[in-house]
Amino acid sequence: MLLAIDCGNTNTVFSIWDGETFLCTLRTSTHHARTADAYFTWFSTLINHYGIKTDITEVIISSTVPRVVWNLRVFADRFFDCRPMVVGKPECLLPHLPRVDAGTQVGPDRLVNTAGAFDRHGGDLIVVDFGTATTFDVVAHDGAYIGGVIAPGVNLSLEALHLAAAALPHVDISQPQKVIGTNTVECMQSGVFWGYVGLVREICARIRAEHDRPMQVIATGGLAPLFEQAANLFDVFEEDLTMHGLTVIHRYNKDNS
Ligand SMILES: Nc1ncnc2c1ncn2[C@@H]1O[C@H](COP(=O)(O)OP(=O)(O)O)[C@@H](O)[C@H]1O
Ligand SMILES: CC(C)(COP(=O)(O)O)[C@@H](O)C(=O)NCCC(=O)O
Ligand SMILES: [K+]
């Protein structure tokens, strides 16, 4: 069995893949100081709690936070007796090489999303991932990542208002009923929510105009469903896209090693 680990700047997600389905998905906050032993204590507690029978022999990691990789490597080595594949490292092959400026480091999560989306939908895609940042990954007709857009994340934008302005409270995102807010919280939610709808629409339209081939928009990330309900922004929402991409890259490496 494969343990796929997707470490974002806010959360780290672990999924167990038995070759056909994900047996479970577990989420913890990202902390670079968390030790391999701490990961295992947390992981084994939840696995036992859910009564999941696991036989993990392989691990693949994608991390947007370079500092956590060392402890995750120790975790894989100590508890599953394996050397993990780490996306972005030279020894981890990609089905399609990114076409970007020389020397550019593409976020591994974006390479993984590209692989996952191409496997399911073929090429000419915009993958929108609502994480700490909101990323738009452009997938060419042949499956290569060819660039994209990085925008501040939804919660980051709300938090920035709170941190920078003394009178603005911490607010959770939700879809306001109206655009014109009649209290501070509604005004903030309106600015971020409807501002975001506009951001996604405009960026996708401009990518489409530059790309000059028809494109599908695939959305992923915890907050995507909120926007899916509000406006016709995406063709598909796939919660497990990043995890699927990790299984695709893992299989590609097995087949080509
Ligand atoms: N289902 C959800 N509902 C509401 N907020 C969520 C949900 N999933 C994630 N978030 C929030 O969205 C932001 C991005 O989370 P996540 O997608 O885990 O980011 P990353 O991949 O960058 O770690 C965080 O602020 C997180 O708390
Ligand atoms: C843009 C990101 C911060 C998004 O990370 P996330 O929101 O998933 O935590 C990450 O993909 C990253 O660090 N990228 C490196 C720069 C690039 O992709 O061009
Ligand atoms: K992500």
Side-chain angles (χ1 to χ4, degrees), residues 6-9 64 109-110 113 129-133 135 220-221 242:
D6 165 33
C7 175
N9 282 284
T64 57
D109 56 322
R110 307 178 75 189
N113 283 344
D129 187 336
F130 291 83
T132 308
T135 49
T220 191
T242 311

Side-chain angles (χ1 to χ4, degrees), residues 9 38 66 98 101 106 121 137 150 155 160 164 167 170 175 179 181 197 200 204 210 241:
N9 282 284
D101 297 349
V106 181
H121 303 283
D137 311 323
I150 301 173
N155 285 327
H170 169 82
Q175 180 182 345
V179 177
V197 169
V200 173
C204 288
E210 260 177 45
L241 185 69

Side-chain angles (χ1 to χ4, degrees), residues 16-17 52 125 133 138 142 149 182 202 205 212 239 252:
I16 301 170
W17 175 249
I52 297 162
L125 307 173
V138 179
D142 63 352
V149 174
T182 48
E202 179 73 10
D212 63 41
E239 195 178 7
Y252 182 78

Side-chain angles (χ1 to χ4, degrees), residues 150-163:
I150 301 173
V154 176
N155 285 327
L156 200 59
S157 305
L158 273 170
E159 203 52 25
L161 284 175
H162 169 56
L163 290 176

Side-chain angles (χ1 to χ4, degrees), residues 12-235:
T12 303
V13 183
F14 293 62
S15 282
I16 301 170
W17 175 249
D18 72 358
E20 281 175 15
T21 54
F22 290 110
L23 298 185
C24 69
T25 294
L26 310 173
R27 188 179 288 262
T28 183
S29 54
T30 298
H31 283 297
H32 69 266
R34 184 169 292 139
T35 63
D37 293 347
Y39 280 116
F40 189 69
T41 308
W42 164 82
F43 182 80
S44 52
T45 303
L46 286 175
I47 293 296
N48 290 337
H49 172 80
Y50 291 123
I52 297 162
K53 294 269 167 288
T54 63
D55 178 20
I56 293 164
T57 51
E58 292 172 288
V59 176
I60 184 165
I61 300 167
S62 161
S63 179
T64 57
V65 186
R67 287 173 76 189
V68 303
V69 173
W70 193 79
N71 280 317
L72 288 172
R73 275 188 193 278
V74 177
F75 169 70
D77 176 58
R78 186 173 296 165
F79 298 104
F80 306 111
D81 198 19
C82 73
R83 202 184 133 89
M85 266 177 217
V86 180
V87 178
K89 298 289 174 206
E91 61 275 15
C92 179
L93 307 174
L94 294 170
H96 305 275
L97 287 181
R99 290 196 287 276
V100 290
D101 297 349
T104 290
Q105 290 287 326
V106 181
D109 56 322
R110 307 178 75 189
L111 299 172
V112 172
N113 283 344
T114 296
F118 182 71
D119 183 69
R120 284 183 173 163
H121 303 283
D124 295 314
L125 307 173
I126 303 170
V127 181
V128 191
D129 187 336
F130 291 83
T132 308
T134 298
T135 49
F136 297 71
D137 311 323
V138 179
V139 185
H141 61 98
D142 63 352
Y145 168 90
I146 54 167
V149 174
I150 301 173
V154 176
N155 285 327
L156 200 59
S157 305
L158 273 170
E159 203 52 25
L161 284 175
H162 169 56
L163 290 176
L168 298 188
H170 169 82
V171 171
D172 288 326
I173 189 69
S174 76
Q175 180 182 345
Q177 294 308 310
K178 310 174 272 123
V179 177
I180 304 170
T182 48
N183 58 61
T184 307
V185 169
E186 276 179 17
C187 289
M188 291 171 69
Q189 286 174 333
S190 184
V192 174
F193 184 86
W194 295 114
Y196 237 81
V197 169
L199 179 148
V200 173
R201 213 190 286 288
E202 179 73 10
I203 287 177
C204 288
R206 285 177 179 268
I207 290 174
R208 281 194 160 109
E210 260 177 45
H211 188 69
D212 63 41
R213 286 166 69 105
M215 303 180 93
Q216 272 186 281
V217 181
I218 317 295
T220 191
L223 292 171
L226 186 67
F227 292 94
E228 192 185 26
Q229 287 154 20
N232 252 337
L233 294 176
F234 322 123
D235 294 299

